[in-house]
Amino acid sequence: MSAILSNVDAAEMMLDAGDRGSAELRRILNDIRDDDLRASEVIRKLRNLLRKGESDFQSLDLNDVVREVLELARGDLVTRNVVVVRELAQDLPHVRGDRVQLQQVLLNLVLNACEAMGAQERGERKLRIATHGEPYGNVVAAVQDSGPGVPFDMRDRVFEPFQTSKSSGLGLGLAICRTLVMSHGGRVWVGEGESGGALFQISLPSGEERPAPPSE
């Protein structure tokens, strides 16, 4: 829904500036249509999950999911002047997961980062999104922003329902993210990035066979 609103805002700015390029406006309308269809699919998947229904698990390249999410968030990233740094590992093991649900998790983290940086009046707005594999099978995706970060005393509670630092937030987005990640057998946590800001990470089990860790 945020992507739809951003595209509408972009179209209005073009019209206000006297730019009526039909090709660009047609692309924006196509994006709005695709986002609307995707929103319907997200809602359907969430309702199915909450009813303990079956998820559409398949073998996925998490890098592809990241690229799709950045495309979905393109409107927000452009209008908020966010610089994106991608650090996607090569030869990443595939994970087994529901593509729409994992998109929703990463999209929520990206849009939260945009909002956190948007509250800053000065300084570069940089979003770093990275992936890497772990030695014994898990695959990690990390989303780091250059915003104010998450207060230390909130880090254990930020994924609980109705916990939010936003004046207009319900505090459900991260709670849903945790539910979706846990349904994939993974975990999600937040810390502080090397240069400040919030660093959210999700770890998902690989769908590929890996050697077991050595016994102690």
Side-chain angles (χ1 to χ4, degrees), residues 119-140:
Q120 298 183 144
E121 296 182 1
R122 298 181 180 179
E124 183 180 39
R125 298 172 181 175
K126 181 182 291 185
L127 176 78
R128 173 181 169 269
I129 186 162
T131 58
H132 69 268
E134 294 185 316
Y136 298 103
N138 279 21
V139 179
V140 175

Side-chain angles (χ1 to χ4, degrees), residues 4-211:
I4 291 170
L5 182 57
S6 294
N7 275 310
V8 171
D9 289 342
E12 287 181 339
M13 285 190 292
M14 287 178 61
L15 293 173
D16 290 342
D19 183 356
R20 289 173 169 77
S22 59
E24 182 66 14
L25 287 173
R26 185 175 298 278
R27 184 192 64 77
I28 289 174
L29 289 173
N30 285 335
D31 283 349
I32 291 172
R33 180 184 297 109
D34 291 344
D35 289 335
D36 181 84
L37 292 173
R38 182 182 171 281
S40 297
E41 183 67 4
V42 167
I43 293 169
R44 185 185 71 81
K45 295 265 186 179
L46 286 174
R47 291 170 72 182
N48 194 44
L49 177 70
L50 295 172
R51 292 173 179 172
K52 307 299 183 183
E54 294 294 324
S55 297
D56 183 18
F57 276 47
Q58 55 187 288
S59 179
L60 298 173
D61 183 340
L62 197 59
N63 285 343
D64 287 342
V65 178
V66 168
R67 295 185 188 100
E68 292 159 0
V69 166
L70 290 177
E71 181 62 24
L72 288 167
R74 177 165 47 86
D76 272 271
L77 295 169
V78 170
T79 57
R80 295 176 186 268
N81 297 314
V82 174
V83 176
V84 178
V85 177
R86 305 188 196 194
E87 297 177 4
L88 306 182
Q90 296 183 350
D91 301 321
L92 199 66
H94 282 203
V95 300
R96 284 199 60 78
D98 185 297
R99 180 180 297 274
V100 172
Q101 290 179 6
L102 293 181
Q103 283 179 346
Q104 187 63 18
V105 170
L106 288 172
L107 183 61
N108 188 281
L109 297 181
V110 167
L111 295 181
N112 280 353
C114 287
E115 290 187 19
M117 293 184 289
Q120 298 183 144
E121 296 182 1
R122 298 181 180 179
E124 183 180 39
R125 298 172 181 175
K126 181 182 291 185
L127 176 78
R128 173 181 169 269
I129 186 162
T131 58
H132 69 268
E134 294 185 316
Y136 298 103
N138 279 21
V139 179
V140 175
V143 177
Q144 180 181 341
D145 62 57
S146 59
V150 178
F152 185 81
D153 61 351
M154 278 287 293
R155 292 178 189 173
D156 290 336
R157 297 184 287 121
V158 72
F159 296 100
E160 296 176 5
F162 309 112
Q163 294 290 332
T164 181
S165 59
K166 302 177 187 177
S167 59
S168 59
L170 290 177
L172 291 176
L174 289 175
I176 292 173
C177 284
R178 183 176 63 174
T179 298
L180 294 177
V181 171
M182 289 177 65
S183 75
H184 284 72
R187 65 189 185 98
V188 57
W189 69 99
V190 61
E192 183 176 342
E194 294 179 1
S195 56
L199 172 61
F200 283 86
Q201 299 185 77
I202 65 170
S203 177
L204 299 167
S206 166
E208 301 176 7
E209 291 292 331
R210 292 302 219 186

